[in-house]
Amino acid sequence: MTRERKGRTMRLTEQQIRSLYGQDVQDRSGAKIGSVGQVWADAAGEPTWVSVKTEVVGHHESMAPLQAARLQEGRLRVPYDKATVRSAPSVETGTDEPLGADQLAQLYRHYQLQQQGAVRQPEQPPPRMPGAPELTRSEERLRVGTESEPAGAARLRKHVVTENVHTTVPVAHEEVSVVHEPITAANPAGVRPGIGAEQREMELHAEHPVVIKEQVPVERVRLTKDEVVEEQPVNAQVRREQVDADVPEPARRR
């Protein structure tokens, strides 16, 4: 992280300068303004201005000074609010033109900064910091999700089974007993004497078991389902690119 006093240009290494391209730009409250599009340096080669790609649709990028800006955790924070940066003078996206004296004067007025010595020499406008050769390294990221698919069907079937039922039931029947009752003179019972063949009958009754089958509902049976979540391991292969630099030995940084 690099911290500078207000009014001083950031002192950055070459690697930090190259890393500025594409970095998020935040205002003084930490809100994102956009990302770095281009970097401009002064006559001494020190980075002094950046253009900011905002979310506003168009072909222009707002300019922001690097004075009192900070590099923190891969983000560039400027000591201004978002509205001030977005309303600043702008340049065309991807321009290769250096900043002119009039542009610099407008920028210094907009940000209420004291003009630097190089600005007083319009014939030597600060050149744009040239972009270093670069490659974009890509890699595959594993995004694991779920999708629903049929996993079978649950059915209810009803069929008939036969089972034996053992039980008892009381049954009644009539039994006959022969009773002899003497007839005496004192108790003639109004019987008239007579000799001859004669027959009398008594109807007898007996119960027997009777089986009657009736159909009655006894219960309701239904299917319900619940969702159960469980962890399943996922194994997959992802590809990523590696960048190797082939630098001649005399040109290597020591």
Side-chain angles (χ1 to χ4, degrees):
M1 178 177 65
T2 303
R3 299 177 182 269
E4 296 293 335
R5 297 190 304 273
K6 189 172 182 179
R8 296 287 303 276
T9 301
M10 297 178 67
R11 300 293 180 181
L12 302 177
T13 64
E14 182 179 352
Q15 182 178 2
Q16 287 176 319
I17 295 173
R18 292 177 180 176
S19 69
L20 284 174
Y21 293 90
Q23 282 192 3
D24 287 347
V25 180
Q26 298 177 333
D27 68 3
R28 60 191 175 192
S29 67
K32 181 179 178 180
I33 305 173
S35 59
V36 175
Q38 304 287 348
V39 182
W40 279 261
D42 59 15
E46 295 293 340
T48 54
W49 296 91
V50 295
S51 63
V52 182
K53 298 179 181 179
T54 64
E55 298 173 354
V56 179
V57 177
H59 301 286
H60 288 77
E61 300 172 5
S62 301
M63 298 294 295
L66 290 177
Q67 290 186 13
R70 292 183 300 165
L71 274 177
Q72 186 176 12
E73 297 179 354
R75 296 176 178 84
L76 179 66
R77 178 173 292 191
V78 295
Y80 305 96
D81 57 33
K82 182 186 296 187
T84 299
V85 176
R86 289 192 170 183
S87 62
S90 61
V91 296
E92 290 187 3
T93 300
T95 180
D96 291 328
E97 297 296 327
L99 297 178
D102 292 340
Q103 289 176 293
L104 287 171
Q106 293 176 9
L107 289 171
Y108 283 121
R109 284 197 301 269
H110 180 79
Y111 287 104
Q112 299 180 3
L113 296 173
Q114 183 179 1
Q115 294 188 357
Q116 304 299 311
V119 180
R120 297 191 183 99
Q121 301 176 7
E123 70 279 1
Q124 295 180 352
R128 184 178 65 88
M129 179 70 68
E134 64 179 25
L135 291 174
T136 299
R137 188 181 68 85
S138 303
E139 64 183 20
E140 293 178 337
R141 298 289 176 86
L142 194 63
R143 297 178 61 183
V144 180
T146 61
E147 64 178 2
S148 180
E149 62 179 7
R155 298 179 180 88
L156 283 177
R157 289 193 183 94
K158 184 172 71 172
H159 57 276
V160 178
V161 296
T162 302
E163 61 181 5
N164 293 323
V165 178
H166 300 281
T167 186
T168 60
V169 59
V171 294
H173 67 277
E174 295 175 339
E175 294 183 349
V176 176
S177 298
V178 179
V179 178
H180 296 270
E181 181 180 347
I183 299 174
T184 64
N187 183 24
V191 177
R192 297 176 60 185
I195 296 175
E198 192 174 355
Q199 179 178 309
R200 296 286 188 270
E201 290 183 353
M202 176 187 291
E203 187 177 275
L204 302 176
H205 297 86
E207 295 178 343
H208 64 276
V210 177
V211 177
I212 299 175
K213 299 178 182 180
E214 62 178 353
Q215 298 179 359
V216 294
V218 293
E219 67 177 350
R220 290 187 177 92
V221 181
R222 63 178 179 270
L223 292 177
T224 62
K225 62 180 181 180
D226 298 313
E227 185 176 88
V228 179
V229 179
E230 60 183 7
E231 298 289 336
Q232 287 191 356
V234 176
N235 296 316
Q237 291 183 336
V238 295
R239 299 176 301 165
R240 62 185 178 88
E241 297 173 336
Q242 292 183 339
V243 178
D244 298 325
D246 187 6
V247 181
E249 183 65 29
R252 291 185 180 178
R253 182 184 297 275
R254 293 177 174 80

